[in-house]
Amino acid sequence: MSPEFIAALPKEARAEAERVFRPFAARRGSYVCYPDDPAKTLYYIAEGWVRLFQLGPDEEEITLTVVGSGEIFGEAALLPNETYGVFAEPLVDCELLSASREDLARLTSRFPEAQSAFVWLLSKRLRKAEERLRDLRFKEVLPRLAKSLLAAMKSGEEGLEVTLSHQDLAHLAGSTRETITKVLGELAMDDTIELGYRRILVLKPEALREVSL
């Protein structure tokens, strides 16, 4: 099934976009791109989570954002002679779609509707980045973590589950692993979640929604 932004295109543009975007598997523990790499490819996340980060003055990692299903990264490929400027690290095994800068240029020059689709995707990224900054400034860790759990949960064999690690959730929520582990323990004591080996079972999603506001 085509992603939403491709499926919404007119028939001819959709066929060309489906040809241009090719499946690409990115595995946890690898890097999709590095800051100094020439930006030659745009990536769309069909399934998974990818952390975008830079290194600070003392080589510390600074997470800029975490992008998930339905989002793009590597958007510097839409411009000529750019580098990515970030590390892109899959937090889980991801299913991506990738398209070269040359193919994207031809696609958008032939079909203005495709250009509008990329503007929509970029606007979506910008809105999410603004929301993340607002949350980091005005919300405590608990509501940020609750929001991250809700975004990451999916149906599993035992119910709604999250398969991200505590460190991955720290990246999503903009906190530290130690703090996230502490708050998860508090949520488990309230029977809102159940902690297990490499998975978190969400028992009360409505309770998470209430505290995420």
Side-chain angles (χ1 to χ4, degrees):
M1 181 179 294
S2 295
E4 181 182 357
F5 82 98
I6 291 179
L9 295 174
K11 183 177 180 180
E12 189 178 358
R14 182 169 67 249
E16 181 64 12
E18 288 173 344
R19 184 193 68 80
V20 163
F21 279 88
R22 300 177 177 86
F24 172 72
R27 301 307 175 198
R28 178 185 176 93
S30 64
Y31 290 96
V32 178
C33 65
Y34 295 86
D36 294 332
D37 288 348
K40 296 181 179 180
T41 305
L42 176 76
Y43 299 96
Y44 174 89
I45 304 177
E47 184 69 30
W49 296 93
V50 176
R51 178 172 73 115
L52 306 181
F53 72 94
Q54 295 176 337
L55 296 180
D58 298 319
E59 297 297 302
E60 73 276 18
E61 295 181 0
I62 302 171
T63 298
L64 303 178
T65 190
V66 177
V67 288
S69 301
E71 297 183 89
I72 59 172
F73 67 96
E75 61 275 5
L78 295 169
L79 302 172
N81 305 316
E82 290 287 335
T83 58
Y84 286 113
V86 296
F87 294 90
E89 175 193 23
L91 297 182
V92 297
D93 291 346
C94 297
E95 298 302 324
L96 310 177
L97 296 176
S98 64
S100 72
R101 182 170 59 197
E102 292 76 13
D103 283 341
L104 290 170
R106 285 192 290 268
L107 176 66
T108 53
S109 64
R110 287 185 60 197
F111 303 104
E113 301 91 345
Q115 193 168 39
S116 297
F118 292 128
V119 170
W120 176 75
L121 287 168
L122 289 169
S123 298
K124 185 178 174 183
R125 269 281 307 278
L126 177 60
R127 186 167 63 249
K128 181 179 175 181
E130 291 171 342
E131 186 176 330
R132 177 181 172 85
L133 286 173
R134 185 178 67 246
D135 286 351
L136 289 172
R137 176 64 178 83
F138 296 111
K139 289 186 176 182
E140 300 295 332
V141 174
L142 174 57
R144 300 204 312 262
L145 175 58
K147 190 173 183 178
S148 299
L149 289 169
L150 289 168
M153 72 180 185
K154 56 186 179 181
S155 296
E157 293 182 359
E158 298 180 69
L160 296 172
E161 63 180 20
V162 176
T163 56
L164 295 176
S165 70
H166 291 196
Q167 182 61 67
D168 295 339
L169 287 169
H171 293 316
L172 269 174
S175 184
T176 64
R177 182 182 60 79
E178 292 78 11
T179 300
I180 291 300
T181 297
K182 177 179 179 293
V183 178
L184 286 172
E186 294 170 355
L187 288 171
M189 289 182 64
D190 290 339
D191 293 324
T192 300
I193 63 172
E194 179 182 297
L195 299 175
Y197 179 65
R198 292 188 176 180
R199 73 101 175 92
I200 298 167
L201 194 62
V202 178
L203 304 176
K204 300 177 182 177
E206 287 304 323
L208 289 180
R209 290 188 182 94
E210 287 179 10
V211 298
S212 70
L213 299 177

